[in-house]
Amino acid sequence: MSWLGFKGWQMLFLLEGGMALIFGIIVSFWLADWPKDVKWLSEDEKRVLAEQYEREVAAKSAVRSYTVWEALRDKEVLKLCFIYFMWITGFWGFGFWMPTVLKSVSGWSNASIGWLIVIPMAVALIGFIVTGNSSARTGEKRWHVAIPMFIGTVGMGLGPFVANPLLSFILVCVSAVGVYVGMGVWWTYPTSFLSGAAAAGAVGLINSVGNLGGWVGPYLVGFVKDRTGSFTGAYLYLAFSLLVAGLLILTLRKKLPVDHPASVQQSELN
């Protein structure tokens, strides 16, 4: 397709970038910074949330108060950086190449694959919500991120060895669960022991280092495919990267200064 002199891929970039810009502007006006600024909370709810936030900051400070530089050098933060790098290597390797791999196995049309991709993304969305609710209810974080990683390891590790199109598509759904589902719980971990500018700096560092994997994963898949003529070796490495990330998540601190189950928070509101 072409429009006003733009090629199809250029139109796609403009459309996606334009949507991000529009929603960015909307969020800047719509999303409140503090509970006290939210119109849909009662005064009692605003008070309870403000008090809970103050207690959480005090609890984290009582264990250790970090400066931004101390947070950036903290061993736990550096471990989170490496975990996220390995995770995102698998995440974007899967995201960029999954349609191509599925087409090579199935022979389905681009249009058919485009519509079918909705299914694994929907499955991942459901898993994302269920996992987040479970973690909030129990206060547990590590296994809620690690288990999806292990599921993704199985899906991506078996994917290259499957020739049946339906089974290959099922493994795509399994892989989608693995790379997406734990993301919501993951980002609650740094702020469970960091606050303020230290938390912001650490989250920025984790995100920056991790997203280098967003280049490594897709590049590696293409490189291995060009050299070997097969996706097998690349997908095995992506599965390995998810496995390493999952195992390292289980080495993170189990006890955190702020780790309240949702049931406790709800009782405070009541």
Side-chain angles (χ1 to χ4, degrees):
M1 296 176 60
S2 62
W3 182 67
L4 295 178
F6 292 106
K7 297 179 180 179
W9 67 268
Q10 294 171 318
M11 293 167 56
L12 181 63
F13 272 52
L14 289 171
L15 178 63
E16 293 183 341
M19 291 175 64
L21 176 62
I22 291 170
F23 279 101
I25 295 172
I26 291 173
V27 166
S28 68
F29 290 98
W30 182 41
L31 188 65
D33 289 322
W34 300 96
K36 64 182 177 61
D37 300 323
V38 176
K39 297 179 180 179
W40 44 267
L41 288 173
S42 69
E43 291 303 318
D44 286 341
E45 289 171 332
K46 293 178 182 180
R47 176 184 53 79
V48 169
L49 290 174
E51 291 174 352
Q52 180 179 315
Y53 172 75
E54 291 172 359
R55 288 198 302 271
E56 289 179 354
V57 172
K60 286 181 276 190
S61 298
V63 175
R64 181 177 175 182
S65 181
Y66 290 82
T67 65
V68 174
W69 180 239
E70 287 173 339
L72 298 182
R73 294 183 299 155
D74 183 75
K75 291 181 179 179
E76 197 84 344
V77 171
L78 295 176
K79 186 188 294 185
L80 291 171
C81 289
F82 181 69
I83 292 172
Y84 199 51
F85 173 84
M86 297 299 289
W87 183 356
I88 297 300
T89 297
F91 181 100
W92 281 119
F94 168 80
F96 271 85
W97 287 96
M98 174 260 296
T100 303
V101 174
L102 184 59
K103 184 177 181 179
S104 69
V105 173
S106 65
W108 296 333
S109 68
N110 290 341
S112 296
I113 291 176
W115 283 107
L116 284 171
I117 294 306
V118 173
I119 297 175
M121 295 302 101
V123 171
L125 174 61
I126 294 170
F128 188 98
I129 295 171
V130 170
T131 301
N133 284 335
S134 175
S135 177
R137 186 176 63 253
T138 62
E140 202 284 326
K141 299 182 187 297
R142 299 183 309 161
W143 284 102
H144 281 83
V145 182
I147 288 177
M149 294 285 191
F150 299 147
I151 293 173
T153 299
V154 173
M156 297 185 76
L158 294 179
F161 302 103
V162 173
N164 181 278
L166 179 58
L167 184 55
S168 178
F169 181 68
I170 291 173
L171 290 176
V172 165
C173 294
V174 172
S175 300
V177 168
V179 298
Y180 284 103
V181 163
M183 196 65 75
V185 178
W186 163 261
W187 284 117
T188 68
Y189 193 91
T191 53
S192 295
F193 66 97
L194 296 168
S195 60
V203 167
L205 179 65
I206 295 166
N207 203 33
S208 298
V209 174
N211 276 305
L212 293 174
W215 175 81
V216 172
Y219 181 86
L220 181 68
V221 175
F223 178 80
V224 173
K225 174 65 167 60
D226 288 344
R227 288 299 183 93
T228 66
S230 170
F231 289 105
T232 301
Y235 256 52
L236 288 177
Y237 176 77
L238 298 182
F240 172 75
S241 70
L242 291 179
L243 176 63
V244 171
L247 291 174
L248 287 176
I249 285 168
L250 297 179
T251 68
L252 295 173
R253 282 180 288 184
K254 185 176 181 181
K255 295 294 183 181
L256 297 165
V258 178
D259 202 7
H260 302 308
S263 57
V264 174
Q265 297 174 358
Q266 185 62 41
S267 66
E268 291 178 349
L269 288 172
N270 294 335

